[in-house]
Amino acid sequence: MGEIEQKLTPASRLGAPENSGISTLERGQKAPPTPSGKLMTVKIQMLDDTQEAFEVPQRAPGKVLFDAVCNHLNLVEGDYFGLEFPDHRKIVVWLDLLKPIVKQIRRPKHVVVKFVVKFFPPDHTQLQEELTRYLFALQVKQDLAQGRLTCNDTSAALLISHIVQSEIGDFDEALDREHLAKNKYVPQQDALEDKIVEFHHSHIGQTPAESDFQLLEVARRLEMYGIRLHPAKDREGTKINLAVANTGILVFQGFTKINAFNWAKVRKLSFKRKRFLIKLRPDVNSSYQDTLEFLMAGRDFCKSFWKICVEHHAFFRLFEEPKPKPKPVLFSRGSSFRFSGRTQKQVLDYVKEGGHKKVQFERKHSKIHSTRSLVSQPTAPNSEVPKQSPQSASLTFGEGTESPGGQSCQPAKETKVCALESGSHQSPALPKSPPGSKAADGTSSVPPEEEEEEEGGKDGIRPSNPQPPQPSTGSLTGSPHLSELSINSQGGAAPANVTLSPNLSPDNKQASPLISPLLNDQACPRTDDEEEGRRKRFPTDKAYYIAKEVSTTERTYLKDLEVIASWFQSTVSKEDSMPEALKSLIFPNFEPLHKFHTNFLKEIEQRLALWEGRSNAHVRGDYQRIGDVMLKNIQGMKHLAAHLWKHSEALEALETSIKGSRRLEHFCRDFELQKVCYLPLNTFLLRPLHRLMHYKQVLERLCKHHPPNHADFRDCRAALAEITEMVAQLHGTMIKMENFQKLHELKKDLIGIDNLVIPGREFIRLGSLSKLSGKGLQQRMFFLFNDVLLYTSRGLTASNQFKVHGQLPLYGMTIEESEEEWGVPHCLTLRGQRQSIIVAASSRSEMEKWMEDIQMAIDLAEKSNGPTPELLASSPPDSKSPDEATAADQESEDDLSASRTSLERQAPHRGNTMVHVCWHRSTSVSMVDFSIAVENQLSGNLLRKFKNSNGWQKLWVVFTNFCLFFYKSHQDSHPLASLPLLGYSLTIPSESENIHKDYVFKLHFKSHVYYFRAESEYTFERWMEVIRSATSSSSRAHILSHKESHLY
């Protein structure tokens, strides 16, 4: 077998040794041969948030992967760093350099390993290399953003000012504030902006390297510098946090250090199950006992922390790497874990001896060039990069990878770095070229205003003619997005057709002159190989997905309008069952809305097409917004306000007509049985009012996402003001109509009630409770209104309606817990003026919801004029028209004996209403929940997978009315199936379920399990948000006043 050919790498071209990382071998000692065999790919997330992929043999120890990363970075002081990853128990652990990688990372394809700082030295002056200090500065920046490095406002402002100095250079107030608006370094940054600008003014002339040094000088003095908290409890059960540092083991309460045990005081560290033990050296002056004990969450957490302590002690306290223990002959006791690698002293000695060559590197976020001089070569005079124009150029790679500012986003191909031998690796870093020189691909740089977008090959992949790479003569820095580690997807030079596009990146920062495709991972997740060529490419900006939500929900809204304007009108025209006055009230008010929103949807889809890059018009970035379209159409809606006001009148007229006409009642009932009418008919009449709320929410999200200086912010804010005004005008009508619609819907589910819908009555909650009687606990359905509580049982008739057994007026009622009295869990006693009943809820939370709402209703009833009228009244006189008398006489005796206002013939339809879902799943739902559900409607494409199936099925999914409706495509007129969500649990799949996909959520109820997969992080979060509102019923946040109809 021949030897692997040594290839020229960018590191070697710059004069760097091929293996400039720290080896743990003594001088003159050769590395053991790396195991050969099948390679596996491991994804590494660097400190600058780029991702690289490294190929290593499956049986290789962790050291092979770690050395490959250090070699790739040309990192000399690599021993301060480590690789951490979540194991199969979701515990974040460090990669053991001695164990085989495959035994630690069980599913490397689905795990992202992070390259981070592991050991924080007490003094940053001990870090000899500028690159090392830069990586430490990135770690500090990351800890600030994640809230790990807590400090006061002054320290935070000073830290950020040094970061800003290293990124944009000397002070310029306008530039400073613009940069701070685009970049968030701490959660509450706006309050610190003036301080940051003030501090930055004092850093004039400071180079990026000096800024890193000063940043670390400030950070190292902070109490939480380099601290990673591990939750624990002391012997008294007090919650504390343990941490380990260069000095020893620290104890925190919250973020306050309350104790410290220096290494000099510690005699032994051990753990037993989930108990972490610190054995101290005897000290006559100390009040501590000999052994301290702390309780952690579990054995795995305890062992993980113990390993970190062992490594910190060895790294900072020992002169050399500890020798391995001899293997026991028969059996071993305790862990064989030991620290592997150079100690800090060995690292310092190696660097001081100068056994390495320094190399140039680039700063990802810095717009100014580092002044670090090269040891191996002089600094080229043309290596400085001029400041970019406001519209910075971005490269678009031919192999389907585009810059974040590009209009399409193909799943990025991972950068692969092979680590086949410990002494050699292939580093595919992209050669850099200075301005005015030939690029590595052989193409010349072009000013942004002279460029043209190339239209290329199939699926947006432009044709490329790669040319041999040329040596780089300089360094390219100066891009806020450029990583010193970013490399081409093909492991070499960029394709020859690299074109410059003057777009802005989605986050409104300047786009990068050189972009690694891995920068797109966050917004464009990788998919499996078989999906990679088929996945549609989209922009990466969150605003795009918000705009896309407008489009998807508008499609559903247009279908809902068609139910009335097309389907219902067509059915009505075939039968003479509806009065002309009612027709003229309903249909002329829906037809203009349908026409208007048809055009609105076209405009939205045209804008999205431009945004996605299906036209050359997107090159200048004028179409990467939606606010102008929203503003124009919302202003157009104001002219349709007269039609919106008519919908409440139409709803009241329809219900009144149904009550007075048996024929119309049957006609509407039959129409509701059609598949296209997937919701109660009267719900569609309120859809235009609901849609206004959706526009308002979308615009609020856009205004929150865009910074004030964004091109789309002004239009979004103006559109939000317009729609807010419309919602405020119609709010009272919406509240009244929601309650009116719900009362009429409940009336169809009840037998024996004639006067449920009366002025002033408000629905509050319905749900299943168990009523205690002489026969024991019996399931009953309860309906709570603002004046009365009804309890019913499910009828045995074909209609599946609920028969009312009794009513409890709320006036003078009391409620109390009686679990101890009756020995029934979650038990309540309701004492009315004439009757008392004992009920039990299915859970503690259900009981609390009922108690809260019943007590609120009692308080409202006390403030009213007095006791409620009887609900169980006899049927009112027949009010049918004389023309319908003959038809009524021909009905059977069973029909005539039933209540004339109940729809007993609706057996196929009334078996799956919200009342029946609550009955079968022993839960409840309130008017507050219904109102939240109205606001939280969503639609779009999802991939669905069953528990035991292998493939994913793409479906158009509509969420409304606590239910998911599934369509084959958005063009279908009716759903294929539905899934009521009340009672379901919403979770993320666990590792054991083997769902190794991005953006997947899980719905399960008893043995029913469904997996759904979204297309992006934003859509995933939106689906989680709206579904959670349906799966977890809300409790009433505050008491309703008597003036309000109900909470909306």
Side-chain angles (χ1 to χ4, degrees):
M1 181 179 290
E3 294 183 0
I4 297 176
E5 182 182 354
Q6 193 81 8
K7 294 185 179 180
L8 189 66
T9 67
S12 62
R13 286 197 296 271
L14 290 172
E18 276 303 315
N19 186 8
S20 54
I22 296 294
S23 170
T24 59
L25 301 171
E26 294 298 329
R27 293 190 175 184
Q29 187 179 4
K30 292 186 177 180
T34 302
S36 58
K38 188 177 179 181
L39 298 178
M40 69 181 202
T41 302
V42 182
K43 290 175 284 188
I44 307 292
Q45 181 169 319
M46 303 299 184
L47 281 165
D48 61 354
D49 293 329
T50 59
Q51 282 190 8
E52 317 292 353
F54 294 81
E55 286 188 345
V56 292
Q58 281 189 339
R59 292 180 293 166
K63 182 184 179 304
V64 173
L65 176 61
F66 182 73
D67 284 349
V69 176
C70 290
N71 291 340
H72 173 64
L73 299 179
N74 291 315
L75 181 60
V76 177
E77 298 170 293
D79 287 85
Y80 289 104
F81 302 82
L83 299 173
E84 66 175 11
F85 65 97
D87 65 8
H88 64 283
R89 300 175 299 273
K90 300 299 182 183
I91 301 174
V92 177
V93 296
W94 294 100
L95 185 74
D96 192 327
L97 301 185
L98 299 180
K99 285 186 178 180
I101 301 171
V102 72
K103 289 189 176 181
Q104 302 180 69
I105 307 175
R106 297 189 177 181
R107 299 183 182 277
K109 187 177 181 181
H110 306 286
V111 174
V112 176
V113 180
K114 292 185 178 180
F115 178 80
V116 293
V117 177
K118 187 175 185 179
F119 302 112
F120 290 80
D123 189 355
H124 63 293
T125 59
Q126 295 173 339
L127 305 175
Q128 304 296 313
E129 282 288 295
E130 181 187 335
L131 172 59
T132 311
R133 291 193 293 272
Y134 169 67
L135 294 175
F136 266 71
L138 289 179
Q139 184 70 67
V140 170
K141 178 182 172 182
Q142 196 176 96
D143 290 349
L144 267 176
Q146 294 174 356
R148 282 179 169 178
L149 185 57
T150 57
C151 56
N152 58 41
D153 289 350
T154 302
S155 297
L158 185 57
L159 289 169
I160 297 172
S161 70
H162 286 300
I163 297 173
V164 172
Q165 175 69 23
S166 71
E167 291 185 355
I168 65 173
D170 288 342
F171 173 82
D172 180 329
E173 184 167 355
L175 186 61
D176 278 20
R177 296 191 183 276
E178 181 185 355
H179 185 75
L180 290 172
K182 296 176 183 177
N183 299 273
K184 296 298 180 184
Y185 298 106
V186 289
Q188 304 296 330
Q189 181 174 296
D190 293 342
L192 305 177
E193 187 169 317
D194 292 335
K195 278 189 178 180
I196 297 169
V197 172
E198 181 184 348
F199 282 129
H200 186 208
H201 188 266
S202 63
H203 303 332
I204 293 177
Q206 196 169 278
T207 65
E210 291 168 346
S211 297
D212 291 344
F213 190 90
Q214 295 299 329
L215 174 74
L216 297 177
E217 174 66 28
V218 177
R220 76 181 183 92
R221 301 177 186 276
L222 300 175
E223 195 170 62
M224 297 301 294
Y225 174 64
I227 297 300
R228 302 292 181 264
L229 299 178
H230 300 259
K233 292 181 180 179
D234 61 14
R235 280 186 171 177
E236 287 72 38
T238 305
K239 290 184 178 180
I240 58 167
N241 289 304
L242 297 179
V244 61
N246 58 82
T247 56
I249 298 173
L250 312 177
V251 183
F252 287 81
Q253 199 152 33
F255 290 99
T256 305
K257 185 169 70 174
I258 59 175
N259 215 333
F261 303 98
N262 292 336
W263 294 125
K265 296 180 181 178
V266 177
R267 180 182 172 191
K268 183 181 179 182
L269 295 174
S270 60
F271 70 98
K272 187 174 183 181
R273 296 186 178 89
K274 60 180 180 180
R275 289 184 297 147
F276 182 76
L277 306 172
I278 305 176
K279 195 167 187 178
L280 301 176
R281 299 184 185 278
D283 187 355
V284 294
N285 298 321
S286 175
S287 60
Y288 294 113
Q289 50 194 330
D290 179 52
T291 303
L292 299 173
E293 180 178 319
F294 299 93
L295 198 66
M296 305 194 81
R299 180 186 180 277
D300 295 326
F301 290 91
C302 199
K303 184 176 182 180
S304 176
F305 182 65
W306 173 80
K307 284 183 175 181
I308 297 170
C309 293
V310 170
E311 290 181 311
H312 272 73
H313 177 265
F315 184 78
F316 289 108
R317 295 282 291 182
L318 301 184
F319 289 153
E320 59 184 12
E321 179 185 358
K323 298 293 186 276
K325 298 177 182 178
K327 291 185 178 180
V329 179
L330 296 177
F331 60 90
S332 62
R333 182 179 180 184
S335 174
S336 61
F337 176 79
R338 67 179 178 89
F339 171 72
S340 172
R342 295 280 180 128
T343 65
Q344 187 189 26
K345 184 180 183 302
Q346 289 175 308
V347 176
L348 292 172
D349 291 344
Y350 177 83
V351 177
K352 287 176 182 177
E353 290 172 4
H356 63 281
K357 291 183 180 180
K358 297 181 180 181
V359 294
Q360 183 73 307
F361 69 97
E362 299 157 1
R363 297 166 179 271
K364 175 181 177 183
H365 297 284
S366 181
K367 295 182 181 179
I368 54 177
H369 187 267
S370 171
T371 58
R372 169 182 172 179
S373 61
L374 296 177
V375 175
S376 58
Q377 64 183 46
T379 305
N382 62 349
S383 63
E384 292 287 327
V385 173
K387 292 183 178 179
Q388 299 176 13
S389 60
Q391 286 188 320
S392 173
S394 65
L395 282 181
T396 306
F397 290 107
E399 279 298 318
T401 56
E402 296 194 9
S403 72
Q407 301 311 305
S408 63
C409 179
Q410 180 176 349
K413 296 186 178 180
E414 299 160 359
T415 304
K416 294 188 177 180
V417 180
C418 296
L420 301 178
E421 293 185 357
S422 60
S424 88
H425 75 287
Q426 181 180 352
S427 176
L430 182 65
K432 299 98 188 171
S433 57
S437 68
K438 289 280 186 179
D441 57 0
T443 60
S444 299
S445 299
V446 186
E449 58 271 16
E450 297 178 5
E451 299 152 7
E452 291 183 0
E453 182 85 354
E454 290 184 11
E455 291 294 325
K458 188 177 180 181
D459 296 331
I461 301 177
R462 298 177 175 84
S464 62
N465 299 303
Q467 297 182 12
Q470 299 177 3
S472 172
T473 57
S475 162
L476 188 108
T477 60
S479 166
H481 276 204
L482 176 60
S483 167
E484 68 280 10
L485 312 175
S486 65
I487 51 186
N488 182 261
S489 62
Q490 300 304 308
N497 71 326
V498 174
T499 59
L500 293 170
S501 170
N503 304 335
L504 292 179
S505 61
D507 54 2
N508 207 29
K509 300 176 186 176
Q510 290 181 329
S512 169
L514 285 176
I515 274 295
S516 165
L518 299 171
L519 291 175
N520 293 337
D521 284 356
Q522 183 175 1
C524 250
R526 294 190 187 97
T527 59
D528 293 337
D529 293 339
E530 69 272 10
E531 295 178 3
E532 194 165 325
R534 293 178 294 163
R535 174 64 71 95
K536 192 174 181 179
R537 304 167 187 86
F538 292 122
T540 59
D541 190 8
K542 180 180 177 181
Y544 165 79
Y545 290 105
I546 298 176
K548 192 173 182 181
E549 182 183 331
V550 179
S551 170
T552 56
T553 53
E554 191 73 10
R555 286 173 179 171
T556 301
Y557 173 53
L558 203 57
K559 290 288 184 184
D560 289 348
L561 290 178
E562 288 174 2
V563 172
I564 300 294
S566 178
W567 295 92
F568 189 53
Q569 184 175 9
S570 175
T571 308
V572 167
S573 64
K574 295 175 184 177
E575 295 189 29
D576 186 20
S577 55
M578 181 178 287
E580 289 298 326
L582 185 58
K583 290 181 185 178
S584 62
L585 187 60
I586 295 177
F587 302 121
N589 288 307
F590 268 84
E591 289 168 354
L593 290 176
H594 183 266
K595 183 178 180 181
F596 176 84
H597 286 278
T598 300
N599 294 328
F600 185 17
L601 179 59
K602 285 181 181 177
E603 287 189 41
I604 296 172
E605 291 182 335
Q606 286 170 0
R607 176 57 56 86
L608 287 176
L610 295 173
W611 202 333
E612 290 166 8
R614 303 178 204 166
S615 164
N616 284 337
H618 74 282
V619 172
R620 297 188 181 278
D622 295 336
Y623 295 97
Q624 293 185 353
R625 52 181 181 157
I626 196 68
D628 55 333
V629 178
M630 296 293 291
L631 178 60
K632 172 192 168 186
N633 285 277
I634 287 173
Q635 288 173 341
M637 286 180 209
K638 299 184 80 172
H639 302 297
L640 301 173
H643 299 290
L644 295 174
W645 283 103
K646 290 287 185 179
H647 291 308
S648 59
E649 187 180 340
L651 178 60
E652 291 178 335
L654 177 63
E655 293 297 344
T656 302
S657 298
I658 288 175
K659 187 176 181 180
S661 171
R662 179 74 59 84
R663 186 176 179 181
L664 181 60
E665 177 186 336
H666 291 171
F667 172 78
C668 293
R669 176 199 64 198
D670 292 340
F671 181 76
E672 284 187 327
L673 295 178
Q674 294 186 26
K675 291 181 179 180
V676 70
C677 189
Y678 66 102
L679 296 173
L681 178 61
N682 54 16
T683 302
F684 291 103
L685 293 176
L686 296 180
R687 273 295 191 249
L689 302 181
H690 298 162
R691 187 59 178 159
L692 298 179
M693 294 294 299
H694 304 159
Y695 293 140
K696 182 172 179 285
Q697 289 179 333
V698 166
L699 287 166
E700 285 172 346
R701 283 195 290 274
L702 279 169
C703 289
K704 186 177 180 181
H705 170 69
H706 289 316
N709 59 350
H710 192 276
D712 204 27
F713 180 78
R714 179 175 294 180
D715 286 340
C716 289
R717 187 171 59 179
L720 177 59
E722 297 274 5
I723 198 68
T724 302
E725 181 183 351
M726 292 183 67
V727 170
Q729 292 173 354
L730 294 168
H731 183 64
T733 303
M734 281 193 282
I735 289 176
K736 179 183 176 183
M737 287 300 103
E738 281 291 330
N739 184 68
F740 181 80
Q741 184 267 333
K742 191 53 59 184
L743 289 176
H744 277 280
E745 185 62 25
L746 292 177
K747 186 179 70 172
K748 299 175 185 178
D749 282 306
L750 298 175
I751 296 177
I753 278 196
D754 299 320
N755 56 345
L756 180 65
V757 184
I758 61 173
R761 175 161 292 147
E762 299 164 9
F763 165 67
I764 297 177
R765 180 176 289 275
L766 66 85
S768 174
L769 293 171
S770 296
K771 180 176 176 289
L772 186 62
S773 65
K775 298 180 181 179
L777 289 172
Q778 294 181 315
Q779 186 179 8
R780 295 287 182 262
M781 198 70 189
F782 282 74
F783 298 83
L784 176 64
F785 303 91
N786 64 335
D787 57 349
V788 69
L789 177 66
L790 300 180
Y791 58 95
T792 67
S793 65
R794 189 180 182 190
L796 299 178
T797 63
S799 62
N800 287 323
Q801 291 170 290
F802 289 82
K803 183 179 180 181
V804 178
H805 281 266
Q807 62 172 333
L808 279 80
L810 298 180
Y811 186 80
M813 179 187 286
T814 60
I815 181 172
E816 61 185 29
E817 287 190 54
S818 53
E819 185 172 328
E820 296 181 359
E821 180 181 353
W822 298 100
V824 178
H826 322 306
C827 186
L828 299 173
T829 299
L830 305 174
R831 303 185 190 279
Q833 291 183 337
R834 293 177 297 175
Q835 181 186 4
S836 297
I837 61 172
I838 296 96
V839 297
S842 59
S843 65
R844 181 78 188 178
S845 62
E846 277 293 308
M847 182 191 75
E848 290 172 352
K849 291 172 190 175
W850 277 106
M851 284 192 68
E852 182 181 358
D853 282 351
I854 292 175
Q855 187 59 58
M856 179 210 60
I858 292 172
D859 294 341
L860 289 178
E862 294 294 335
K863 296 176 183 177
S864 64
N865 297 328
T868 181
E870 277 290 333
L871 271 177
L872 301 179
S874 59
S875 298
D878 195 349
S879 57
K880 302 289 186 262
S881 62
D883 295 337
E884 296 175 342
T886 306
D889 291 338
Q890 294 174 355
E891 293 177 349
S892 67
E893 290 184 4
D894 290 338
D895 287 335
L896 291 173
S897 64
S899 168
R900 292 181 182 270
T901 58
S902 64
L903 302 180
E904 284 195 359
R905 293 184 179 182
Q906 297 189 39
H909 191 66
R910 301 236 62 83
N912 195 31
T913 64
M914 194 54 55
V915 179
H916 290 84
V917 174
C918 290
W919 171 268
H920 288 295
R921 296 179 183 172
S922 299
T923 186
S924 68
V925 63
S926 71
M927 195 63 208
V928 176
D929 299 320
F930 280 110
S931 298
I932 293 173
V934 164
E935 298 178 12
N936 287 331
Q937 295 179 20
L938 192 62
S939 53
N941 285 311
L942 287 176
L943 297 176
R944 184 186 66 179
K945 180 183 179 299
F946 296 108
K947 183 179 180 181
N948 298 319
S949 64
N950 295 323
W952 294 82
Q953 181 185 13
K954 184 178 181 180
L955 295 168
W956 178 262
V957 184
V958 174
F959 170 79
T960 185
N961 203 32
F962 303 93
C963 192
L964 291 177
F965 295 91
F966 303 106
Y967 299 74
K968 191 173 182 180
S969 77
H970 69 85
Q971 297 171 335
D972 292 352
S973 59
H974 59 83
L976 301 171
S978 63
L979 178 65
L981 295 180
L982 281 180
Y984 267 78
S985 297
L986 176 66
T987 58
I988 304 297
S990 63
E991 183 76 18
S992 60
E993 293 173 272
N994 297 323
I995 306 294
H996 301 293
K997 304 286 184 182
D998 295 322
Y999 315 128
V1000 176
F1001 58 89
K1002 171 186 174 184
L1003 283 168
H1004 59 99
F1005 174 75
K1006 295 183 178 178
S1007 61
H1008 304 282
V1009 178
Y1010 305 93
Y1011 301 99
F1012 295 94
R1013 184 176 168 199
E1015 66 173 346
S1016 69
E1017 183 179 5
Y1018 171 79
T1019 52
F1020 168 77
E1021 291 172 352
R1022 282 289 293 140
W1023 280 106
M1024 290 283 286
E1025 177 187 350
V1026 299
I1027 292 176
R1028 191 176 288 114
S1029 71
T1031 55
S1032 55
S1033 179
S1034 306
S1035 61
R1036 191 169 294 264
H1038 56 275
I1039 295 176
L1040 299 174
S1041 68
H1042 187 61
K1043 295 180 182 180
E1044 294 176 326
S1045 296
H1046 66 276
L1047 268 180
Y1048 188 80

